[in-house]
Structures are given as C-alpha cells and as structure tokens.
Amino acid sequence: MGSCRKVLKRNALTIATISAFVLGIVIGVVIRETNPELTPEHNTPYGLSIPGELLLRALNLVVIPLVSTSLILGIVNGSGNSFNSKAFYTVVYYLGTTLIAVSLGT
C-alpha cells in the first residue's frame, strides 16, 4: 500500500494529464452524441468556446513575448566567431516561421 502511494505521488502530474485527456474525450463524445444536429461549422454548444478562446488568447499573451525575449537575449549574449551567422539564421528562421503563422492565421 505504501509503495502504491509513492508511485501515485511521484507520477501525479502524469496521471492528472492523462485523466484530463480522457475526460476531455469523454465529454466531447457525450456532447456530440447528445446533439446530433451539430455540424463542423457550429460544433461548440452552450458557450463552450469561451474557455477555449480565453485559453488560446492567454497562451498567445504569454508565449509571443517569451519567445521574442529569449530570442533577443540569446542573440545579445552570443559570442564567438560563428555568432554573426548564427544570429542571422536565427532571426531569419524566426521571422520566416512567424510570417507563415500569420499568413495561415494561427
């Protein structure tokens, strides 16, 4: 019994993540089955899009400044002979992927 508690305590985050994943699938299937009139264009009943939209906006609010700041600090703190080429390719890669993401609308 004691070793079982240790395993559960040590893997609590993994267990919680997998449980939330399974719960999300179950809730999605239940909503889909109880509302057969849902179409791919209108598949978020009962205001369920609000928490998802808030989560995505909060992630964008945090991730974009974090990535930009870490990229700038990485370039500024770089040194050595290959610094200029690494910095150049890093900036080109970042701007290219950002341009692709903006053009796709994500």
Side-chain angles (χ1 to χ4, degrees):
M1 187 69 166
S3 65
C4 184
R5 280 190 185 171
K6 285 182 183 179
V7 170
L8 289 175
K9 192 172 187 179
R10 199 173 344 149
N11 298 315
L13 185 58
T14 304
I15 293 169
T17 302
I18 293 171
S19 300
F21 180 74
V22 170
L23 182 64
I25 291 173
V26 169
I27 290 173
V29 168
V30 168
I31 289 175
R32 177 68 62 162
E33 293 300 319
T34 57
N35 297 306
E37 71 276 356
L38 293 177
T39 62
E41 294 84 26
H42 307 287
N43 61 355
T44 52
Y46 314 122
L48 289 179
S49 65
I50 295 171
E53 190 69 30
L54 289 175
L55 175 68
L56 289 177
R57 288 181 187 216
L59 284 174
N60 281 336
L61 186 70
V62 171
V63 168
I64 292 172
L66 184 64
V67 169
S68 301
T69 304
S70 63
L71 180 67
I72 291 168
L73 288 175
I75 291 172
V76 169
N77 291 332
S79 61
N81 294 336
S82 64
F83 165 69
N84 291 333
S85 64
K86 285 182 183 178
F88 174 74
Y89 287 122
T90 302
V91 170
V92 168
Y93 177 75
Y94 177 70
L95 292 176
T97 54
T98 303
L99 180 66
I100 291 170
V102 167
S103 66
L104 292 176
T106 56

